[in-house]
Amino acid sequence: MEKFIYAPEIAKLGHVALVTKDLEKSLWFFKEVIGLEETCEVNGTHYLRAWGDFEHHTLSITAGETSYIDHIGWKAKRREDVANFARLLEDAGTEVRWIEAGEEAGQGKALRFELPSGHRFEIYFDMEKPAAAEDRKSVLKNQVYKSWAKGVSPRRIDHVNLQTSIDNNLIVNYLKETLGFKLREYLVNSDDKQVVGWMSVTNLVHDMAMMTKPSVEANQMHHIAFWMDNAQDILRAADILCENEVGFVGPGKHGISQAMYVYVKDPGSGLRVEIFTNSYLIFEPDWEPIKWSYEEYLKYGSTYWGDRRRDDVSRDQPVKA
């Protein structure tokens, strides 16, 4: 394997590319109810971002015969890291496909590859940061759009939660050893076998989670999460969802991550969306992953307090990734 002066690194979660079987409903949900802003539409793909997202898009939506996640984009820390990741991945036996600049609107050259689970990731560095139109522009120079202009109005994309039927340790170790993710918290089942890992490349508790369930396909998405500034924003979101007659679960608080949440589903694609706030940050370089037993998970981990109902929003009907 070629030696690098420094190991390539991922800086943050960039975007999620959603294909939906009902484009009209998905656009209504994400633009009017969630309140994302549309950057542009190119060849049938709509590129959206939250009012505090600087890059060209953090969510893209395209019409399809079925609903699925086409790929999940991650921004590299340095431009040269993209090519370095390509070499590292190929040396690890992972097939890499190059995406030319402009193939995805606003984005420079990138690479795509699949995890052992089949989830498709993309790593890029160059991405346009377009300004908002004058009628949508914030007066704050450190913010793109006017806040609270419409809908739930999250500040930014936060994390993704993936599902697989593949052994959890295999996928988590691949993410750690190949892509540099750090394991922050994890869950074991009644046989003391790891079934969920919460991982990050930033100071967040998780930029992504990987959940193993034998009953699902190898590559599915459990949810995408958007960040709210505080707990009051979660309560406001619940009111807005009620006003739009969109069912949801919550508000509640997780023990794992210590975050407050509301879960809601896009009526166009079926993709579960988490409206998310609070949580805690990790600054310790020698952080030891926190282990949760299944009994602890049921008592405190999933719902520390709040709504414990299990309806169509919380029932496991993930979107294929």
Side-chain angles (χ1 to χ4, degrees):
M1 181 182 295
E2 180 178 348
K3 298 295 183 181
F4 301 113
I5 297 174
Y6 47 77
E9 297 177 86
I10 294 174
K12 65 167 189 169
L13 172 64
H15 56 267
V16 173
L18 171 65
V19 178
T20 176
K21 62 183 179 182
D22 193 325
L23 181 63
E24 183 177 355
K25 282 185 179 179
S26 289
L27 289 175
W28 168 79
F29 175 75
F30 282 106
K31 292 173 65 175
E32 305 305 323
V33 181
I34 299 300
L36 302 185
E37 299 281 357
E38 183 164 344
T39 309
C40 66
E41 180 270 323
V42 179
N43 298 326
T45 297
H46 297 257
Y47 295 90
L48 313 177
R49 56 183 175 173
W51 57 261
D53 286 324
F54 291 93
E55 292 198 318
H56 183 273
H57 59 279
T58 49
L59 177 69
S60 66
I61 307 178
T62 308
E65 293 185 3
T66 60
S67 297
Y68 62 94
I69 302 301
D70 182 76
H71 67 271
I72 300 165
W74 301 87
K75 187 179 180 77
K77 277 197 173 182
R78 296 164 288 261
R79 183 174 288 107
E80 59 268 29
D81 282 352
V82 179
N84 288 342
F85 265 123
R87 291 196 291 272
L88 189 153
L89 287 162
E90 288 174 337
D91 287 343
T94 300
E95 183 178 349
V96 168
R97 180 168 75 90
W98 284 101
I99 306 299
E100 295 303 319
E103 187 174 331
E104 184 171 342
Q107 180 175 276
K109 191 171 183 178
L111 63 94
R112 285 188 194 166
F113 59 96
E114 291 186 359
L115 305 186
S117 56
H119 292 94
R120 190 178 299 112
F121 276 13
E122 177 178 84
I123 297 178
Y124 68 94
F125 179 80
D126 292 301
M127 177 73 80
E128 294 175 9
K129 297 180 180 180
E134 285 299 320
D135 63 333
R136 296 190 288 165
K137 183 179 178 181
S138 173
V139 298
L140 294 174
K141 298 178 73 173
N142 53 9
Q143 183 173 306
V144 182
Y145 297 96
K146 297 174 181 177
S147 54
W148 308 110
K150 57 182 177 177
V152 170
S153 198
R155 177 182 287 268
R156 60 172 174 80
I157 192 171
D158 190 84
H159 67 265
V160 291
N161 189 311
L162 310 181
Q163 279 192 326
T164 185
S165 56
I166 305 297
D167 178 76
N168 199 257
N169 268 312
L170 187 153
I171 308 300
V172 166
N173 287 337
Y174 178 92
L175 291 164
K176 289 165 58 180
E177 296 166 6
T178 309
L179 300 179
F181 280 84
K182 297 176 182 178
L183 183 63
R184 303 303 198 177
E185 304 192 43
Y186 66 101
L187 169 68
V188 298
N189 62 16
S190 55
D191 295 322
D192 202 39
K193 183 177 182 180
Q194 183 174 312
V195 290
V196 187
W198 287 266
M199 313 184 74
S200 68
V201 290
T202 67
N203 296 115
L204 300 179
V205 175
H206 64 317
D207 296 297
M208 70 163 291
M210 181 62 72
M211 306 168 60
T212 294
K213 288 190 69 173
S215 60
V216 304
E217 295 183 33
N219 55 325
Q220 290 186 323
M221 170 79 85
H222 187 271
H223 68 261
I224 176 176
F226 290 96
W227 174 265
M228 308 298 289
D229 281 350
N230 55 56
Q232 181 60 41
D233 295 345
I234 296 291
L235 303 182
R236 176 182 175 274
D239 279 346
I240 290 169
L241 294 173
C242 283
E243 289 284 4
N244 284 278
E245 299 185 330
V246 179
F248 61 91
V249 167
K253 180 177 180 178
H254 296 307
I256 297 170
S257 82
Q258 297 184 30
M260 286 190 64
Y261 66 86
V262 163
Y263 287 104
V264 58
K265 278 191 175 182
D266 165 27
S269 67
L271 175 64
R272 186 185 289 104
V273 175
E274 183 179 20
I275 310 301
F276 182 92
T277 193
N278 293 352
S279 191
Y280 66 96
L281 300 175
I282 297 174
F283 297 101
E284 289 78 4
D286 55 350
W287 179 265
E288 290 294 330
I290 296 172
K291 177 180 178 179
W292 293 79
S293 70
Y294 185 63
E295 292 73 20
E296 291 168 333
Y297 176 77
L298 292 177
K299 191 173 182 180
Y300 302 118
S302 178
T303 305
Y304 186 46
W305 54 257
D307 193 343
R308 295 178 181 270
R309 290 179 301 166
R310 293 293 180 264
D311 57 16
D312 288 339
V313 177
S314 58
R315 191 175 300 130
D316 188 26
Q317 297 171 330
V319 172
K320 183 177 175 61

